[in-house]
Amino acid sequence: MSDTAARLVRLLSLLQTPREWPGSELAGRLGVSPRTVRRDIERLRDLGYPVHATMGAVGGYRLVAGKAMPPLLLDDDEAVAVAVGLRAAAGGAVEGIDEASVRALAKLEQVLPSRLRRRVGALAAATVSLTGPGATAVDPAHLTTLAAAAVAHERVRFAYRAADGRTTDRLVEPHRLVAAGRRWYLLAYDTERHDWRVFRVDRLTGPSATGVRVPPRQPPGGDAAAYVRDKMYALAPAHPLRATLALPAPEAARRTGLDPATFTPLDAHSCLMRADAEAVEWIASRLLMLGCDFTIHEPTELRTYLSTLATRAHHASQPPDPTAVTDRGAR
């Protein structure tokens, strides 16, 4: 690939990020002069890529939706198929591809002609997903709106429903979307509360970009994922676990998949497990699946729960009462 062709591919990749690119920044990224950038922009336009230029202090270049799909990308059917697939992956928070799906969807929808957007919207409206327990419905359009605003450092308005059911209007500066399990969270700076907030995306409605751009902010610590994780852990009830397991520490770590530091060897055949969890049900299930004897030191709620499970298991292990009517048709 020639230097010019490679540079055009790199330039196109930058322009597909939904933001305004000043010519000087593009020149710095590509290692060329602003004049070369202008020539390359014209080459992309000649190839059919709709690159829009704006003047002013906050102006620059950006890729916009055109009258047809740009060449060398996807045909109409492929574009619709990819967009629908990305919406499904983004809305379902599929582990491993969730955030990449949102980024790709934001890039694709930015250049989709209106006729293809209608087809994608019609398919999405006519399709429902059978979600598992704990899954929450998230509109992929909300994700792409928030993702684009985060990249462009643009303020967004939306209505937010809190855990107690109270709804408030919010004006925020989105920073990052964070996928955690089957849920999406937005880390943003709340301009009216003058502080950082974490929002569950499935609880917000009507997100819309205001067109107001602001200087980028960095959350405390600089790590969006760590900040959201710490906030979630701080709000969740934690049950400290201390239990003696009749397993060597390395074997306990292997069976649970937990950090080896969770287990302190007591001797060659046993160890002390220390951990925190949000629910005693989770702790109980992990311990019972170990296939070994164990002694609970804390929490007391776990001993109570295990006692209930033992009673339930004992009843289930008994042979059925022969006098009981099991044939539903015999009535």
Side-chain angles (χ1 to χ4, degrees):
M1 183 182 291
S2 68
D3 291 344
T4 299
R7 190 174 65 247
L8 286 176
V9 170
R10 172 64 175 153
L11 174 59
L12 182 59
S13 177
L14 292 173
L15 290 174
Q16 284 181 325
T17 301
R19 57 161 291 190
E20 204 96 14
W21 287 93
S24 58
E25 186 174 353
L26 288 175
R29 293 287 190 107
L30 300 173
V32 296
S33 67
R35 182 178 179 182
T36 299
V37 170
R38 289 193 293 271
R39 288 202 301 264
D40 288 345
I41 292 294
E42 289 304 318
R43 291 190 179 101
L44 289 179
R45 287 170 175 162
D46 291 341
L47 291 172
Y49 291 96
V51 182
H52 179 69
T54 56
M55 306 298 292
V58 295
Y61 300 99
R62 62 188 176 95
L63 198 63
V64 299
K67 296 181 179 179
M69 286 294 297
L72 304 179
L73 290 178
L74 301 168
D75 63 29
D76 285 5
D77 290 338
E78 291 170 337
V80 172
V82 171
V84 171
L86 290 172
R87 277 175 170 262
V94 179
E95 185 176 0
I97 65 170
D98 34 36
E99 295 182 42
S101 297
V102 172
R103 292 197 303 269
L105 183 59
K107 290 181 179 180
L108 181 59
E109 290 197 342
Q110 186 185 11
V111 295
L112 277 179
S114 58
R115 69 177 187 280
L116 297 188
R117 290 188 185 186
R118 287 194 294 270
R119 287 178 60 184
V120 172
L123 280 170
T127 305
V128 295
S129 299
L130 183 61
T131 55
T136 52
V138 175
D139 188 343
H142 292 178
L143 294 174
T144 54
T145 297
L146 297 171
V151 173
H153 310 302
E154 187 173 355
R155 287 179 176 171
V156 170
R157 287 189 180 277
F158 54 78
Y160 188 71
R161 176 177 53 81
D164 60 5
R166 187 168 51 93
T167 300
T168 55
D169 292 326
R170 301 298 184 101
L171 177 63
V172 306
E173 299 171 11
H175 178 71
R176 286 291 186 276
L177 284 166
V178 178
R182 303 291 295 179
R183 288 177 179 165
W184 281 96
Y185 295 89
L186 170 68
L187 174 59
Y189 186 83
D190 193 314
T191 61
E192 296 175 347
R193 290 157 180 79
H194 307 290
D195 198 6
W196 290 92
R197 292 289 189 270
V198 177
F199 302 95
R200 269 179 51 176
V201 179
D202 60 294
R203 289 181 177 171
L204 62 84
T205 56
S208 60
T210 64
V212 178
R213 294 181 182 175
V214 294
R217 300 178 188 264
Q218 287 298 320
D223 187 330
Y227 185 89
V228 172
R229 182 190 63 236
D230 292 344
K231 284 293 184 181
M232 290 170 61
Y233 285 170
L235 295 175
H239 297 279
L241 166 69
R242 276 198 320 122
T244 298
L245 311 181
L247 276 179
E251 179 63 14
R254 187 189 69 81
R255 293 191 188 184
T256 61
L258 298 176
D259 187 339
T262 304
F263 307 94
T264 302
L266 297 177
D267 54 40
H269 307 288
S270 64
C271 64
L272 179 66
M273 178 181 181
R274 287 190 177 93
D276 290 324
E278 297 180 21
V280 293
E281 294 83 358
W282 180 88
I283 305 175
S285 65
R286 296 302 292 267
L287 290 174
L288 292 172
M289 291 173 63
L290 286 175
C292 70
D293 292 335
F294 55 86
T295 302
I296 303 298
H297 305 294
E298 62 175 337
T300 56
E301 296 93 337
L302 178 57
R303 288 198 293 270
T304 302
Y305 182 72
L306 285 170
S307 178
T308 301
L309 285 183
T311 302
R312 191 178 303 156
H314 174 73
H315 288 319
S317 67
Q318 301 304 305
D321 184 352
T323 64
V325 177
T326 57
D327 186 354
R328 292 187 179 181
R331 294 187 179 180

